[in-house]
Amino acid sequence: MRYVIAAALVASSAVAAPAFAQEVNPVFTGPRIAVLGGYDGIKPGSSEDADIDGIDQTVDGFLYGVEAGYDIALGGVVVGADLELTDSTGKVETARVNPNTFGFGEVSTGRDIYLGLRAGVLATPNTLVYAKGGYTNARLNLLGSDGTTSFDENFELDGFRLGAGVERAIGNNAFAKVEYRYSNYSSANFEFANGATTGDFDIDTDRHQVLAGVGMRF
């Protein structure tokens, strides 16, 4: 009888192990990297928007950058973490009214660091629909000149990001995705060229981005 019980336990373990392994979806599990590109638009938030017809307050540009992350897929649910570094070509130039005083000759969007989490469900075995959220730190670069002296300094912006997207596995390792994200920056400080900074102050700045990405899993 003891041998019969032992054999039954071994057999049940052999069945349970493959069943558990099947719960982990290998297509959306493990570390990943990707390159990103798409639309970037940043503007004053609702509390600062002038809402004047005919005035476009959005600074548009092309977003580009890289992303690294790690996912765990159990059954039809995927959870993961993202780390992202991007930049943008967006800028606006303003002519000085008085040549004897400084003016913000150019304001351009700078690097953006994002750290967050995402979670999604498998619409098909190779298609993931997900939502994401986390922390973002961005820069606005300022160039000014009075014709003789110039400065190149920046604002550091802190805020949150929310987004959603669709990711499609291509074979066992490659993937492509499209994503929309909204960011709101509510705190900032001014960083001088010598490295000194002001204290934090409140702001209201919105950012909308639509991007595509391609990458690999390892």
Side-chain angles (χ1 to χ4, degrees):
M1 178 61 70
R2 285 181 297 177
Y3 294 110
V4 172
I5 295 174
L9 289 173
V10 170
S12 64
S13 299
V15 171
F20 175 77
Q22 290 174 1
E23 292 180 0
V24 178
N25 186 317
V27 176
F28 291 98
T29 295
R32 55 182 159 81
I33 59 172
V35 294
L36 310 172
Y39 166 77
D40 177 45
I42 188 167
K43 62 177 289 184
S46 58
S47 67
E48 305 296 335
D49 196 330
D51 291 327
I52 300 174
D53 291 339
I55 295 180
D56 183 3
Q57 300 179 72
T58 302
V59 179
D60 300 305
F62 177 75
L63 173 149
Y64 57 94
V66 293
E67 171 194 80
Y70 191 94
D71 293 317
I72 299 175
L74 298 174
V77 177
V78 177
V79 293
D82 290 325
L83 175 62
E84 183 182 297
L85 176 63
T86 60
D87 208 328
S88 172
T89 63
K91 68 179 180 180
V92 59
E93 296 180 343
T94 304
R96 297 188 312 278
V97 176
N98 185 347
N100 298 317
T101 61
F102 277 96
F104 287 164
E106 179 183 292
V107 179
S108 63
T109 49
R111 66 105 183 101
D112 184 3
I113 299 172
Y114 168 77
L115 177 63
L117 302 174
R118 74 174 189 169
V121 295
L122 297 179
T124 73
N126 292 316
T127 305
L128 174 68
V129 180
Y130 63 88
K132 64 187 295 181
Y135 166 76
T136 171
N137 175 274
R139 280 183 177 172
L140 290 179
N141 302 317
L142 310 178
L143 297 176
S145 174
D146 63 0
T148 302
T149 305
S150 62
F151 67 83
D152 183 357
E153 297 167 340
N154 62 74
F155 285 101
E156 293 269 358
L157 313 180
D158 287 309
F160 69 88
R161 175 171 297 161
L162 301 174
V166 179
E167 184 173 304
R168 175 74 177 179
I170 304 172
N172 293 326
N173 300 106
F175 65 88
K177 69 175 184 176
V178 292
E179 182 178 296
Y180 164 79
R181 349 52 103 83
Y182 163 76
S183 302
N184 178 266
Y185 303 96
S186 58
S187 177
N189 65 66
F190 188 76
E191 182 176 347
F192 297 93
N194 62 6
T197 62
T198 65
D200 290 345
F201 50 88
D202 295 336
I203 61 170
D204 183 9
T205 302
D206 288 339
R207 195 170 202 169
H208 298 273
Q209 298 171 321
V210 181
L211 61 85
V214 292
M216 298 288 294
R217 291 187 180 274
F218 302 94

